Amino acid sequence: MSNEDVAANLAAVKDEIATAARAAGRPAEVVTLVAVSKTHDAARILPALEAGHRVFGENRVQEAQGKWPALKEQFGDIALHLIGPLQTNKAREAVALFDVIESIDREKLVAALAREIEKQDRHPACFVQVNTGEEPQKAGCLPEETDGLVAACRKAGLDVVGLMCIPPVEEEPSHHFALLAEIAQRNGLHQLSMGMSSDFAVAVTFGATHVRVGTAIFGHRPPVA
Ligand SMILES: *Cc1c(COP(=O)(O)O)cnc(C)c1O
């Protein structure tokens, strides 16, 4: 896939989001496309920026630090989402660079972020990540822990706006999306980050306000060594 295809892929994904939203009786504008650029270099991200896209997702703090400060300077109004697991010792860097943190999954991290938010006076929007499939290897708090963690975020002064999930790969995602929507509703949270390349249209049907799409825009990622 060439870099020229990125803009075309981006447009196709946006079309598919709009179609799914219309079919669900939702305005397409309520769904934000987070273009997941992890593993891809600036040259590959540029066509998306030049096409006017401004919302991106990265899963590693260190990798994002290597490419986004320069791009943020060049294109002022970027919203950068952290979508990967966050170590407490990276809270400072994460608060400094990211505009949205989607992967809050434990109280210790809430405390570390709260300290940095106060220190830096930067206020990223926050999502609590829920391990809806209760998979042992996967990040995210358990569904039954979510209410408590959301309360802890609010108590610590975090700007908690919604929930995020990554359904198990081998399962039909819709019941995970429905579960996330239900947990969000009972917590008075209005934003739902769910849906990836293979299932973002389904997620839109189930109320996603953010879909995180990488492969369908930027092509396949090189396998991690
Ligand atoms: C990589 C990643 C995505 C994007 O996945 P694709 O299948 O490439 O669209 C979405 N969410 C998270 C948390 C990711 O790590």
Side-chain angles (χ1 to χ4, degrees), residues 142-224:
L142 293 173
E144 77 251 25
E145 298 168 340
T146 312
D147 297 4
L149 192 55
V150 169
C153 288
R154 287 180 168 141
K155 189 157 176 246
L158 267 55
D159 180 19
V160 57
V161 296
L163 302 180
M164 182 269 247
C165 77
I166 310 169
V169 276
E170 68 288 357
E171 279 181 39
E172 215 274 308
S174 52
H175 94 263
H176 296 275
F177 297 156
L179 174 61
L180 198 71
E182 179 195 312
I183 300 172
Q185 187 172 27
R186 74 167 181 246
N187 281 282
L189 294 168
H190 304 296
Q191 302 197 31
L192 293 169
S193 176
M194 55 192 199
M196 311 185 0
S197 288
S198 58
D199 55 16
F200 66 86
V202 180
V204 168
T205 307
F206 279 84
T209 60
H210 295 72
V211 293
R212 309 176 309 271
V213 179
T215 309
I217 297 170
F218 297 107
H220 286 287
R221 291 178 288 271
V224 265

Side-chain angles (χ1 to χ4, degrees), residues 110-121:
V110 171
L113 287 171
R115 273 194 300 278
E116 286 304 326
I117 284 166
E118 163 144 84
K119 221 187 278 178
Q120 300 181 34
D121 195 22

Side-chain angles (χ1 to χ4, degrees), residues 80-159:
L80 194 59
H81 291 231
L82 177 62
I83 60 171
L86 179 57
Q87 306 296 316
T88 49
N89 64 6
K90 293 268 169 60
R92 180 167 55 83
E93 288 92 335
V95 169
L97 181 62
F98 289 93
D99 306 288
V100 180
I101 296 176
E102 297 203 17
S103 48
I104 295 175
D105 62 358
R106 60 203 189 280
E107 299 216 6
K108 207 174 148 211
L109 181 58
V110 171
L113 287 171
R115 273 194 300 278
E116 286 304 326
I117 284 166
E118 163 144 84
K119 221 187 278 178
Q120 300 181 34
D121 195 22
R122 265 185 60 86
H123 301 269
C126 295
F127 288 71
V128 167
Q129 180 176 351
V130 185
N131 184 357
T132 56
E134 308 194 21
E135 297 171 278
Q137 81 286 6
K138 199 166 266 177
C141 68
L142 293 173
E144 77 251 25
E145 298 168 340
T146 312
D147 297 4
L149 192 55
V150 169
C153 288
R154 287 180 168 141
K155 189 157 176 246
L158 267 55
D159 180 19

Side-chain angles (χ1 to χ4, degrees), residues 6-7 10 14 46-54:
V6 168
L10 181 68
K14 285 185 176 173
L46 267 177
L49 285 160
E50 280 159 0
H53 198 73
R54 290 294 179 269

